[in-house]
Amino acid sequence: MNEAGKKVAFYTLGCKLNFSETATISRSFKSEGFNRVDFSEAADIYVINTCSVTENADKRFKSIVKQAQKTNPDAFVAAVGCYAQLKPEELADVDGVDLVLGATEKFKITDYLNDLSKNDMGEVHSCEIEDANFYVGSYSVGDRTRAFLKVQDGCDYKCTYCTIPLARGISRSDTLANVIANAKEIAAQGIREIVLTGVNIGDYGKGEFGNKKHEHTFLDLVKALDKVDGIERLRISSIEPNLLKNETIKLVSQSRAFVPHFHIPLQSGNNELLGKMSRRYKRELYVDRVAEIKKLMPNACIGVDVIVGFPGETDEHFLDTYTFLNELDISYLHVFTYSERDNTKAAEMSGAVSLKVRKKRSKMLRGLSAKKRRAFYESQLNTTHKVLFEGENKHGYINGFTENYVKVKAPWDPALVNTIHQIELTEIDEDGLVRFTYQNEDLLTA
């Protein structure tokens, strides 16, 4: 197919994994001669990578299609990703959508573009999710500073609220050799930080050879990546508490490149609800993980995912979670308000929590998160760190993150983009970001 000069634009909803996969799909368009443009510009094709984790992501899809049609009414619109796998007919019915590709087809999108004329009805190519048993490696280079590197896909867990196994299939992994090759490619582009991503990355190794053969573990992956030259920082994006082993924590604490930042889903601080969610641990294990991290890395940043308003969550359950998190030595929360998803066990459970109560609980936990982040930032004042500066001018300031995920700010200076500096954190600004002074460098105070 020769589409030289044609323009393609992408919009990604959802997680870091989706961003890494959009980047891979975008590279396949490039090799077919397409030019990538921003989604706000006129393009011949708009590709929307969908998410199905929350109700909101479903609703946003329609407004994004409208946005594309407004920019170019004659453009070809394709939907890929999780929502496209779960509800392909629903997406195909959206006015303006021409093509819907499920889990196995999304990486072959250019094969479906023989004719870019608009369709009266969205054409659907989706698979039985059992067929999504092969692995496609991906990484995204969204900015010059960091890349998201996909190491694993799918999930064998059956959490009662989650559609991801239905949308992405069984747990499967990239080969270790391929992950290392991708990491080296990223390093060669001058990118300083790699964030490891996947659906359940602690399960890494499973399905590495397209079957259940299992040669490597997550610990093997971490050890091998730590030795890749040219990458100054490696970050584990999110890992289940039951899969975060002491050996991995110890390795990160002694590592050359892995940073002391963990994001560990909890979902509830109440054991009865964890059971109803079919989570694979009790809260006592979570306490152990946090204690182990803080014992070896006292300055480590620990982020927590938590769901509010799960069916059957009483005021007592919620207060149990709130108190548990309040007393835990963590740094911030990602709060998700429970939303019913079709074909999940939780959607059929009794004891639905009213939307008003869900919102109230969500607000309380977001307030707790702000308090936790502030306390963590305060604990880091007057300590020295290395900061990696980002690439964007934000209202005359440049932002950066320390290795333990403290967000800092300095007056905008393009020379700082994608550079690493030794700094001492000095004070928290009124916007909640941290000011600093440079260490051992002929630079002014920021």
Side-chain angles (χ1 to χ4, degrees), residues 77-94:
V77 177
V80 301
C82 290
Y83 192 29
Q85 174 63 34
L86 289 173
K87 304 225 172 148
E89 308 297 339
E90 208 171 284
L91 289 194
D93 281 345
V94 173

Side-chain angles (χ1 to χ4, degrees), residues 393-404:
N393 183 342
K394 294 202 169 169
H395 312 296
Y397 287 93
I398 188 168
N399 293 337
F401 284 96
T402 62
E403 68 285 359
N404 64 341

Side-chain angles (χ1 to χ4, degrees), residues 322-440:
Y322 188 96
T323 307
F324 178 73
L325 288 166
N326 192 33
E327 291 169 0
L328 208 55
D329 191 3
I330 54 164
S331 317
Y332 64 90
L333 306 172
H334 277 175
V335 184
F336 296 90
T337 305
Y338 172 76
S339 63
E340 286 78 2
R341 317 307 291 147
D342 289 346
N343 303 316
T344 59
K345 284 185 181 173
E348 293 157 23
M349 288 178 182
S350 58
V353 177
S354 77
L355 289 175
K356 189 179 171 187
V357 171
R358 290 184 214 183
K359 282 181 179 164
K360 182 181 161 194
R361 289 175 185 171
S362 176
K363 194 174 177 184
M364 282 177 73
L365 281 185
R366 287 178 209 278
L368 179 61
S369 179
K371 188 180 111 177
K372 286 281 183 185
R373 193 185 296 270
R374 177 92 190 185
F376 175 63
Y377 281 8
E378 282 175 356
S379 76
Q380 298 305 298
L381 294 180
N382 307 314
T383 60
T384 56
H385 295 275
K386 284 186 173 172
V387 65
L388 171 58
F389 286 107
E390 310 264 304
E392 216 180 320
N393 183 342
K394 294 202 169 169
H395 312 296
Y397 287 93
I398 188 168
N399 293 337
F401 284 96
T402 62
E403 68 285 359
N404 64 341
Y405 217 53
V406 173
K407 192 172 186 180
V408 306
K409 66 184 285 194
W412 170 253
D413 177 356
L416 290 174
V417 173
N418 200 34
T419 61
I420 291 179
H421 298 272
Q422 188 90 14
I423 61 165
E424 182 180 339
L425 303 176
T426 56
E427 62 177 314
I428 301 173
D429 217 3
E430 60 268 16
D431 60 4
L433 305 187
V434 183
R435 299 275 195 163
F436 60 88
T437 54
Y438 290 100
Q439 296 287 296
N440 313 321

Side-chain angles (χ1 to χ4, degrees), residues 16-24 138-140 148 150 197:
K16 295 183 176 90
L17 181 57
N18 268 7
F19 278 93
S20 76
E21 291 183 344
T22 298
T24 296
S138 302
Y139 66 85
S140 80
F148 299 122
K150 175 182 164 187
T197 183

Side-chain angles (χ1 to χ4, degrees), residues 231-243:
I231 292 295
E232 292 180 56
R233 285 185 177 184
L234 286 152
R235 207 177 284 278
I236 299 168
S237 66
S238 180
I239 185 165
E240 292 285 308
N242 51 307
L243 295 174

